[in-house]
Structure formats: C-alpha cells, structure tokens
C-alpha cells in the first residue's frame, strides 16, 4: 500500500452544523464496514477499512507499526483497539450506525495466519469486540483484490449483501441450504460473534466442566446430532436452535438443524388445528382436524423427507441422535425409523398440551393427540416435556418422559448488555416502526411497562390492556398527573409458520378503539417488529417492569430474559411460568384472568420505590444468577449432549443396536443396552448426579 495520499475517514467536529443536524431525533444511518488486513512482517501491519451504505463508499487506509519487541498476536491485539477506536470515532461523528462488518485478509496473509495458529485468536477477538463494543455483527472472509482498499470495499459489499439492510438492527439473513434445507446458522459460520471464553465466563464451573467433558465424548465417538422443526426464524424454538448450533460449532460437535419447506396451507393446520387446539384456546369445531387436513399435512412432511432428508441426502442416513421439535414435522418419524433403524429419536414438546382435555374421548384435543401419538410420536425413544405435570399428554408412559425447561442465550442479541447510546438508538428505531403502523412511540422521559410476545390468542393481550386501564385509573385516583404515569408497550416478532399474528394484531387495534380504552390509547404503543433481536433487548432493558399475562404457556423465555435484565415480572400462573418466578421475590404471580390483581401489583411497584427496589436487589444476587443458569444455552447444551452420549449406539458394543427391543418396552433402551425408566425426572438430575 502506498503511503502517499492515503485516504482517511472524515470526522465531523462536535458543534458543526452537520454534526448537530444529524442528531436531532434522527435514527443513525446504517452503514456496513469491510476491514482488510495484510500481515507483512514482524512489527508492521497494513490495513484498510471501507464504509458502504448501499450507494457510496468512504475508505480509510493506514499502517500499524508496533514496538518490534512485541509478538505477532500482541500486535494484532493492539491493532484491534486502533481499528475499533477509528471506526467508532468516524461513526459517532456522522451519527452512523455500524450494522455489520466483514473482516478479512488476502490469501498471502491467510497462509501466514494458518502457519501461526496463535494469530487466529486476535483475529477472532476483533470480531467479538465489534459485537460487544459496537453492536455490529462481525463476519470473516478471505478477500481478493488489487489493493487492500479494493479488498475492504469488496468486504463491505459482501456484508451488505449478507444482511437485511431494510431492517435497522444487525441481523444477518437467515441462510438455508437449498439441497437439504439445513439452517446455515450465522451464515454457515462466517458470522463470528462469540468465543468459548465468553460462554465460560457466564457459566458456573461444574456445568462448564461437564459441557467440555460431554462434547469431547461426542467428538471421540463421532456422534452426529440433528434437530428438525418447521421454521428457521420466529418463536422460541428457532431462537434456541440458533444458539445451540452456535455453541456446538465452537465446541466442535457435529450438530445440525433442518427445517421444512414453508407451505402456508399447512401452517394454518399446524398453528390453528395443532398448536391452538392443544393449548385449549379454542373450542370452535371448525378447528377440529379433518381427514383432508391429515392428508395434506402427511403429504407435506413426506415430500420434505423425500426431497431433502431421505435416502442418499446425507441427513438421516448416518445420524446418531435426532430431535423432533414439536409436532409440525413429526410425520417423518416412521420414515426415519425405516431408513435408519439405529438412530435414536427424541420428541421435544415445547407447547402446552392440555392433558386434561386430551384425556376426554371425543374432544378435539383427544382426537388430535390420538392421531399424532399412535401414528408418529409413539415411535420415538424419549419424550421431553416442559417440567409441568399437566403438559404430559395421556398415553405417554412416564417411564419414557424426561423434563427440560426452555432456554435463552445470555450473549446473543436478545440479552447482551448495551450502552446508553445503543438503548437510545433502538428506542428511536422502535418509534419509527410504531409510527409506520400508526401507533404512538415511547417517550424519552416517561417510564413504561412492557409485554413482549407474539400476537397470539394465548398471550392474554386483551388482559394486559384491561390491567393497564385499571392501573392508570388507580394512579389518577392518587392524584398523579397523566404525564407522570407510565406508558404501555406491546410488541413482538412474527413467524412464518404463524398465520394468527396479523389477525390478533388487528383485534388489538380494534380493542383500543373501544370507548373504555380510548382515553389511554395514546399511551399504548403497539408494534409488530422486524426480526431484530437487539431491538427487543433494548426495549425490554428500558422498561420499568414486564408483564406476561399468557392464558396458556409452555415455558416463556421472555420471563427468563426479563429477570436476567433485572426487571421484575408480573405474570399469570400459567403453564411453566410459576417455575420461573419466585412470587414476591423476583416478581408477582396472579391468578389467570385477575386483571385487577395485576393492576394492584403494578400500582404498588410504581408508587412504592422501596418495595420495587427490593425486587431489583434480589434479582441482582449471586443466588438468583446461579438459579438462572439452567435457563441458558450452556446448561441446556449439557442436557442435549448428555442425552446424545447416553442414547447413541455408536461407540458401544455393536450387539447393543442389533438387540434393540420393541419400542413398547417399559422405559428407554439406552446406548449401552440398559433399559432406563426416566419417570418424568429432570434431565439435569442424571448428569449432575454423575458429575
């Protein structure tokens, strides 16, 4: 790189007219960065950075010369700081928002790095610093070009193409392999946000040691684990799978995730006639499963199996452990059994299945469960349920049932820590989304109460609005002025397999137009948000407290996420929620439908600061942090790795697989030939007792 006439990023002076204008209620302009590095020799590194907004480039070129006494890795660590500070100053002065960055090097430098493994850690550290320090999703790539500047510009264009520029928030496009419908998490590994050391810092030592031990066993036995579900984005299952695959990849475990090809007609069946019926949110006979529904659903599952996962596809053929997430694609289970009899199949039930209704002959729930269980799910080796007794349907023998709560990830965009500038940026993004939907935004000088949930009939959104109305009336009765009273925020993401979202959203808007709510409607922010994890994280972090008034619920990760951000939660005693909240310590539990009780709890929290602070102090204790461990990705990954190592035949006596007994055996035939009766105990009880 020539040292003459080098380009430099322009830096606006604080107080200049353009500097001031760029900050007046403006959302930072999204830019995408490419960083190219050339490691020439000891003590000198050439680098260039290009900023791209989809139309124009701005470039910066520089040489980093360090003390010749320092080693290569130490040079790169110092270079990391220089690059981070340079692009931060550039972005801040222009009110730009760095959404993504592609960090790469030419083939020559790539060979130098490959020959010196110690250089890889600083390069990966640069990626994670972009994620944690600048909230920019980082990617890595080998670059080609006539100069470093050209390589940096190429990298900037690449990361722009990888992301979703119309959505503020650094979310890479969801990539799915067209040959197998495998979800290529984090752009098939090109997006590198985290390292194992970050997970280790947030995990207690016994759990971390067990994670490493089990992952090593999986690698030594060359076990192949795969997950199946219906959608790569939207809803808690997809969020968990992205986080699980990310950690498994860092551990070196062969773990993959496959989804079905979307079919809107089938999703109407799986959402309204499977999901909603199981939860008991509808008793309307129009949602009873008909033979034509069964035929369409089975045909769709079989087509997906034949086209993407069947014979010769390299998916089911040699898999050792297969996990089916919920019933959406469970019709492939008999085909898995036929193609790969040695595969161990686990059915993971995430939704609330009303066992009381499913046990009543002639009910919609009974007929639906009988169809799914007898034809498909009964052919699995193990049934994993949320730890709620009522969620285990009839005819599932408890000897084959183990318990596991849902999890979230402490380090992804939904939960990572954010700066004050990040929080303000995402508040403005939220307000733009709300404005586009005709809803009021969040005020910068008023607190707010929040419920984050999909617009779903089971989420109790009308109850939230009624409780808020009663809460506001109580505050007014105490003489509090309107502008001192909190707003209400109702928001959530959509999902491609959920046709109810638009319907329920429209119902909420209509409800706010009713006479009893019109007075408070200007203070109720309702928005369906784009798929930006950080947007939800920031809005939740900015709240006063959270609500979760679901009438039916499996195990609500939004409760976990709220508590992890030290936000007390007021919730109904629905599904698995009472297992997440310690009533009177980390939140308040109210009987389902008692909106006045919710209003009373809100009023006391808002008007008695000492009472409210007691919740915050409790949530910040080490004891609560330790209890929340079981609801985070590393702990849940231990559960999955334990099940895989215990169930898989590979690595055990070959005769074990050949002597596999019928599936109706009382319990689960384990990988070592023993028969275990799980008796609806937590999975963690087994591996913790053997630690």
């Amino acid at each position: 790189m020539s040292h003459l006439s080098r380009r430099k990023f322009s830096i606006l002076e604080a107080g200049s007219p353009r500097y001031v204008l760029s900050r007046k209620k403006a959302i930072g302009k999204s830019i995408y960065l490419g960083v190219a590095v050339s490691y020439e020799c000891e003590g000198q590194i050439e680098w260039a950075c290009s900023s791209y907004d989809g139309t124009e480039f701005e470039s910066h070129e520089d040489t980093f010369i360090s003390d010749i006494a320092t080693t290569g890795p130490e040079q790169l660590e110092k270079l990391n700081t220089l690059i981070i500070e340079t692009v931060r100053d550039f972005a801040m002065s222009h009110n730009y928002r760095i959404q993504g960055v592609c960090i790469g090097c030419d083939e020559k430098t790539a060979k130098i790095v490959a020959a010196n493994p110690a250089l890889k850690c600083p390069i990966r550290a640069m990626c994670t610093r972009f994620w944690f320090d600048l909230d920019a999703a980082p990617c890595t790539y080998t670059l080609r070009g006539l100069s470093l500047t050209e390589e940096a510009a190429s990298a900037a264009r690449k990361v722009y193409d990888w992301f979703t520029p119309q959505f503020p928030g650094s979310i890479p496009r969801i990539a799915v392999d067209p040959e197998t419908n495998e979800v290529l998490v984090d752009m098939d590994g090109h997006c590198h946000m985290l390292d194992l050391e970050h997970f280790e810092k947030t995990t207690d030592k016994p759990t971390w040691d067990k994670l490493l031990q089990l992952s090593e066993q999986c690698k030594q036995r060359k076990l192949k684990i795969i997950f199946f579900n219906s959608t790569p984005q939207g809803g808690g299952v997809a969020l968990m799978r992205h986080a699980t695959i990310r950690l498994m990849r860092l551990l070196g475990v062969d773990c993959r995730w496959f989804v079905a090809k979307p079919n809107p007609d089938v999703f109407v069946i799986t959402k309204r006639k499977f999901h909603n019926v199981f939860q008991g949110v509808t008793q309307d006979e129009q949602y009873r499963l008909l033979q034509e529904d069964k035929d369409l659903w089975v045909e769709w599952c079989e087509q997906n199996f034949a086209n993407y996962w069947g014979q010769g596809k390299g998916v089911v053929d040699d898999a050792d452990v297969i996990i089916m997430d919920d019933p959406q694609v469970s019709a492939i289970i008999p085909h898995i059994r036929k193609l790969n009899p040695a595969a161990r199949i686990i059915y993971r039930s995430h939704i609330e299945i009303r066992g009381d209704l499913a046990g009543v002959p002639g009910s919609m729930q009974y007929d639906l469960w009988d169809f799914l269980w007898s034809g498909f799910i009964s052919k699995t080796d193990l049934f994993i349920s949320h730890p709620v007794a009522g969620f285990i349907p009839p005819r599932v023998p408890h000897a084959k049932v183990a318990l596991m709560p849902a999890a979230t990830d402490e380090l992804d965009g939904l939960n990572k820590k954010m700066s004050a500038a990040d929080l303000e940026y995402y508040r403005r993004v939220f307000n733009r989304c709300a404005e586009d939907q005709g809803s009021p935004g969040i005020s910068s000088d008023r607190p707010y109460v929040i419920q984050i949930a999909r617009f779903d009939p089971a989420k109790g959104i009308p109850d939230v609005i009624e409780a808020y109305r009663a809460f506001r009336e109580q505050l007014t009765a105490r003489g509090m002025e309107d502008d001192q009273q909190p707003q209400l925020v109702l928001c959530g993401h959509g999902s491609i397999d959920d046709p109810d979202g638009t319907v329920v959203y429209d119902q909420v808007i209509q409800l706010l137009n009713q006479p009893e709510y019109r007075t408070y409607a200007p203070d109720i922010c309702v928005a369906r948000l784009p798929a930006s994890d950080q947007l939800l994280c920031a809005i939740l972090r900015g709240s006063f407290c959270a609500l979760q008034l679901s009438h039916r619920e499996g195990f609500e990760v939004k409760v976990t996420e709220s508590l992890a951000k030290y936000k007390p939660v007021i919730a109904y005693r629905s599904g698995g929620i009472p297992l997440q909240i310690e009533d009177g310590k980390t939140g308040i539990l109210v009987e389902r439908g008692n909106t006045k009780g919710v209003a009373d709890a809100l009023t006391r929290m808002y008007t008695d600061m000492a009472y409210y602070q007691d919740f915050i102090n409790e949530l910040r204790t080490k004891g609560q942090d330790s209890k929340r461990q079981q609801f985070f990705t590393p702990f849940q990954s231990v559960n999955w790795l334990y099940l895989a190592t215990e169930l898989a035949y590979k690595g055990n006596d070959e005769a074990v697989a050949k002597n596999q007994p019928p599936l109706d055996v009382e319990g689960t035939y384990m990988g070592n030939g023993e028969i275990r009766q799980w008796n609806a105990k937590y999975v963690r009880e087994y591996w913790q007792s053997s630690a």
Side-chain angles (χ1 to χ4, degrees):
M1 180 187 293
S2 171
H3 289 213
L4 299 175
S5 302
R6 289 192 159 186
R7 301 183 181 97
K8 300 292 181 183
F9 282 143
S10 61
I11 305 294
L12 294 180
E13 293 185 9
S16 67
R18 188 175 159 200
Y19 182 95
V20 173
L21 287 172
S22 68
R23 280 153 177 76
K24 286 191 173 180
K25 299 183 179 180
I27 296 175
K29 180 181 179 180
S30 293
I31 60 170
Y32 299 81
L33 298 182
V35 177
V37 177
S38 179
Y39 188 87
E40 296 290 342
C41 61
E42 188 76 10
Q44 181 171 311
I45 303 172
E46 300 285 342
W47 67 279
C49 181
S50 280
S51 162
Y52 184 57
D53 63 3
T55 304
E56 297 178 335
F57 288 102
E58 184 166 352
S59 297
H60 182 99
E61 305 163 345
D62 209 344
T63 300
F64 174 75
I65 301 176
S66 77
D67 182 348
I68 59 172
T70 62
T71 62
E74 290 172 339
Q75 291 180 57
L76 287 176
E77 289 170 4
K78 292 182 179 180
L79 174 62
N80 290 349
T81 298
L82 173 64
I83 293 176
I84 292 289
E85 290 177 350
T86 299
V87 300
R88 177 192 281 126
D89 291 345
F90 166 63
M92 288 183 64
S93 78
H94 290 273
N95 196 28
Y96 290 158
R97 184 72 185 187
I98 304 169
Q99 301 292 0
V101 56
C102 182
I103 303 165
C105 57
D106 56 24
E107 292 182 356
K108 175 184 174 182
T109 301
K111 290 178 181 178
I112 294 174
V113 172
N116 187 352
L119 296 177
K120 292 182 180 179
C121 291
I123 292 174
R124 293 165 69 95
M126 185 192 298
C127 293
T128 60
R129 286 195 62 183
F130 266 103
W131 175 242
F132 288 113
D133 295 1
L134 298 182
D135 187 39
C139 305
T140 59
Y141 216 80
T142 300
L143 306 173
R144 293 180 181 177
L146 298 177
S147 66
L148 275 181
T149 302
E150 182 179 327
E151 291 173 1
S154 175
R157 289 196 306 272
K158 187 173 290 293
V159 74
Y160 179 86
D161 291 339
W162 275 349
F163 282 67
T164 309
Q166 66 268 34
F167 292 160
S170 44
I171 298 296
R173 298 181 190 274
I174 300 298
V176 177
D177 185 336
E179 298 297 322
T180 63
N181 267 28
E182 179 180 1
V183 182
L184 305 176
V185 173
D186 294 341
M187 302 303 298
D188 201 19
H190 284 294
C191 186
H192 183 81
M193 299 179 291
L194 307 167
D195 282 317
L196 284 178
E197 65 183 62
H198 299 104
F199 285 104
E200 183 177 8
K201 289 176 182 177
T202 61
T203 307
D204 62 55
K205 191 175 188 306
T207 301
W208 186 253
D209 290 345
K210 194 68 177 180
L211 179 67
L212 297 182
Q213 174 196 338
L214 291 171
S215 64
E216 193 59 34
Q217 287 184 33
C218 281
K219 288 184 286 186
Q220 289 177 357
R221 293 168 60 183
K222 298 181 179 180
L223 298 184
K224 297 185 177 182
I225 306 167
I226 61 177
F227 289 89
F228 282 109
N229 80 320
S230 60
T231 175
Q233 188 176 52
V237 174
L239 291 169
M240 283 190 285
R241 294 299 156 254
H242 279 281
T244 300
I245 299 298
R246 183 177 299 126
L247 178 54
M248 294 292 190
R249 180 184 286 132
L250 290 172
L251 291 166
V253 175
D254 188 347
C255 185
R256 303 163 70 191
W257 169 28
F258 300 86
V259 295
K261 183 178 180 179
N263 183 321
D265 293 332
V266 173
F267 289 157
V268 169
I269 296 170
T270 57
K271 180 58 170 65
R272 294 177 179 169
K273 296 192 174 186
F274 283 13
H275 189 281
N276 290 358
V277 168
F278 272 144
Q279 289 192 323
V281 297
T282 179
Q283 296 300 323
D284 193 325
E285 281 292 318
Q286 69 172 312
Y287 297 114
R288 182 180 290 274
L289 195 67
L290 304 177
Q291 187 59 48
E292 61 194 60
D293 300 322
K294 298 176 184 178
D295 293 343
L296 176 59
W297 173 69
V298 170
E299 179 184 18
W300 174 70
C301 289
E302 291 179 342
Q303 283 182 348
N304 274 278
F305 188 84
N307 293 339
Y308 303 114
W309 312 319
Q311 182 73 43
K313 303 293 184 181
V315 179
V316 169
D317 311 63
D318 57 352
D320 297 295
V321 177
I322 297 172
I323 298 104
M324 307 293 304
D325 280 314
D326 279 337
Q328 285 89 337
V329 294
S330 59
I332 71 171
I333 293 172
H335 298 279
I336 295 173
R337 282 283 178 222
K338 183 177 179 180
L339 178 59
N340 185 357
R344 314 312 307 277
I345 308 176
I346 301 171
Y347 180 82
R348 179 39 166 131
S349 178
H350 296 273
I351 62 176
E352 177 181 3
I353 299 178
R354 291 282 302 277
D356 56 337
L357 298 177
V360 178
S363 69
M364 288 191 292
Q365 290 79 9
Y366 182 95
D367 291 346
L368 173 59
W369 180 244
D370 184 64
F371 167 67
L372 292 173
W373 172 254
S374 60
F376 312 103
I377 300 173
S378 63
K379 295 172 175 54
T380 59
D381 298 290
L382 183 63
F383 186 100
I384 301 288
S385 171
H386 285 315
V388 182
F391 284 15
I392 304 172
R395 300 184 288 288
V396 182
H398 281 212
K400 285 191 174 183
V401 175
L403 306 179
M404 189 189 299
T408 187
D409 195 281
E410 199 171 7
L411 300 170
D412 68 6
L414 285 167
N415 296 291
K416 69 171 183 170
K417 292 180 173 59
M418 291 184 163
S419 67
D422 290 336
L423 296 178
E424 174 59 18
Y425 167 76
Y426 284 112
R427 185 187 69 83
R428 294 185 181 192
V429 171
F430 177 90
N431 286 351
R432 176 69 59 80
C433 293
E435 181 182 348
D436 289 346
Q437 297 172 44
S439 175
I442 298 173
S443 173
S444 61
D445 56 4
R446 289 175 65 183
Y448 57 89
V449 178
I450 191 169
Q451 174 164 306
I452 296 178
R454 287 183 295 112
F455 287 87
D456 182 283
K459 298 300 182 180
I461 297 175
D463 286 31
V464 175
I465 294 171
E466 171 56 26
Y468 178 71
R469 181 198 63 79
F471 166 52
R472 289 290 300 268
E473 285 187 349
Q474 290 181 14
L475 295 183
T476 299
R478 289 170 176 251
M480 190 176 293
E481 297 294 329
D482 285 351
D483 60 1
Q484 296 178 318
Q485 300 180 19
Q487 294 177 279
L488 172 65
V489 175
L490 294 166
C491 63
H493 291 160
S495 175
I496 62 171
D497 68 342
D498 184 2
D500 285 335
T502 300
V503 174
V504 174
Y505 173 82
D506 290 342
Q507 291 172 349
V508 171
I509 300 303
Q510 292 173 10
L511 182 64
L512 292 177
N513 283 323
Q514 297 302 309
E516 61 268 36
Y517 301 121
R518 285 178 188 164
T519 300
Y520 305 109
D523 286 335
I524 300 177
C525 315
V526 182
R528 296 186 75 191
L529 300 177
S532 167
D533 292 346
Q534 291 98 306
L535 180 54
L536 288 186
C537 177
I539 299 307
L540 182 53
R541 284 194 180 279
S543 67
F544 170 74
C545 72
L547 301 178
Q548 196 61 57
L549 304 189
S550 301
H551 282 232
R552 298 292 168 192
E553 195 58 78
F555 202 94
E556 181 49 72
V557 293
K558 284 293 172 281
V559 170
T560 299
E561 291 167 3
S562 300
L563 299 177
K565 296 174 180 61
Y566 311 129
K567 304 297 178 182
V569 181
I570 301 171
Y572 281 163
R573 295 181 184 273
S574 296
I577 292 176
L579 299 173
Q580 299 172 263
I581 297 172
E582 292 185 57
D583 192 19
K585 294 181 69 176
T586 62
I588 298 173
L589 293 170
V590 180
E591 294 304 319
R592 189 184 301 127
N594 184 6
T595 55
K596 183 180 183 303
V598 175
D600 292 344
L602 282 169
T603 298
R604 185 175 181 189
M605 271 196 189
Y606 192 66
T607 58
D608 187 341
M609 282 296 104
Y611 176 71
Y612 175 74
Q613 192 61 43
D614 285 343
F615 287 98
I616 307 301
N617 293 340
E618 176 63 28
L619 286 166
R620 290 181 179 273
T621 62
K622 289 184 178 179
Q624 289 298 331
D625 280 337
S626 180
K627 290 177 184 178
R628 285 192 291 269
Q629 288 272 312
Q630 64 175 308
F631 306 134
F632 293 136
T633 300
F635 196 102
Q636 289 291 69
S637 296
V638 175
N639 285 333
W640 288 123
L641 292 176
Y642 172 79
L643 292 172
T645 55
E646 291 289 302
L647 289 171
Y649 293 131
K650 186 187 291 181
N652 287 310
D653 188 340
E654 293 182 4
V656 174
K658 294 179 180 178
N659 296 329
Q660 186 174 195
L663 286 170
D664 59 2
V665 65
E666 186 69 16
T668 300
Y669 186 64
M670 306 300 287
N672 61 5
E674 297 177 357
I675 295 177
R676 177 180 296 178
Q677 295 187 350
W678 297 86
N679 297 325
K681 292 172 63 177
Y682 280 89
V683 174
R684 69 168 187 256
E685 294 182 39
Y686 291 92
W687 60 262
Q688 285 179 329
S689 64
S690 63

